[in-house]
Amino acid sequence: ELASFASRPASAIKTWKNTLLFTLEDETTGTDGLRAPQFGALHAISAHFSVGKQFDPATVVLPTGTGKTETMLAKLIYSQLSRVLVIVPSSALRTQIGKKFVSLGVLPTIGVIPTTIARPRVAFITTGIRSLDEAQTIIAESNVIVALPDSLKESSPEALAYIADKCTDLIVDEA
């Protein structure tokens, strides 16, 4: 069973340091691990941002069924991302992907991360963020914010600007 949530988002991040194991799945030996496309994507993302492109967007394209969401989860833990805004195209995906961030998906089960790390604190944005105070609370309490474009569009401009300014990373899932 995965550890509980940390009391604060920063406390969760501290438990993630140096915990992701780059173990490659091997079906012939029954070894659990990351699938080859996930393994390659994580290395490509890391290479992109390690050569002075911290502010240049990176596009990762993975075939259906190869584990895009698990790749997002692994990136969160591996890079100890402070605060991630994840934009998804539908309510169903908001729920599905948000729950995966809460549980860290299959990563603990396949031994890629230890069960002793704290789970990220996840906010689900289902309606517009109406005020700066609400945005500040979301930022103060979350490692991951999952939202639809329409929910963000309904937000007050001040609240949206605050969220955008305080999120360290943006993931857009177009699936």
Side-chain angles (χ1 to χ4, degrees), residues 35-164:
R35 295 176 182 161
Q38 296 167 324
F39 197 84
L42 287 168
H43 285 296
I45 294 166
S46 296
H48 174 82
F49 291 115
S50 71
V51 292
K53 297 185 178 199
Q54 299 93 312
F55 302 107
D56 290 349
T59 301
V60 177
V61 178
L62 292 172
T64 300
T66 56
K68 288 183 285 292
T69 304
E70 307 301 325
T71 303
M72 292 181 221
L73 303 174
K75 177 63 178 161
L76 173 76
I77 300 303
Y78 173 61
S79 297
Q80 301 167 61
L81 303 179
S82 299
R83 191 160 298 99
V84 180
L85 174 60
V86 181
I87 299 177
V88 297
S90 70
S91 295
L93 277 174
R94 177 182 51 215
T95 301
Q96 178 186 347
I97 288 174
K99 285 182 176 180
K100 281 217 175 187
F101 272 99
V102 168
S103 69
L104 294 173
V106 300
L107 299 183
T109 306
I110 63 173
V112 173
I113 59 171
T115 58
T116 55
I117 67 171
R119 294 187 279 172
R121 297 176 62 88
V122 180
F124 294 77
I125 306 301
T126 57
T127 61
I129 305 165
R130 308 223 187 302
S131 68
L132 180 58
D133 286 345
E134 186 179 349
Q136 289 170 335
T137 299
I138 291 167
I139 290 296
E141 296 297 325
S142 307
N143 296 106
V144 178
I145 301 164
V146 186
L148 274 66
D150 288 346
S151 299
L152 296 175
K153 193 168 131 181
E154 294 172 11
S155 299
S156 82
E158 184 180 43
L160 188 55
Y162 185 81
I163 293 286

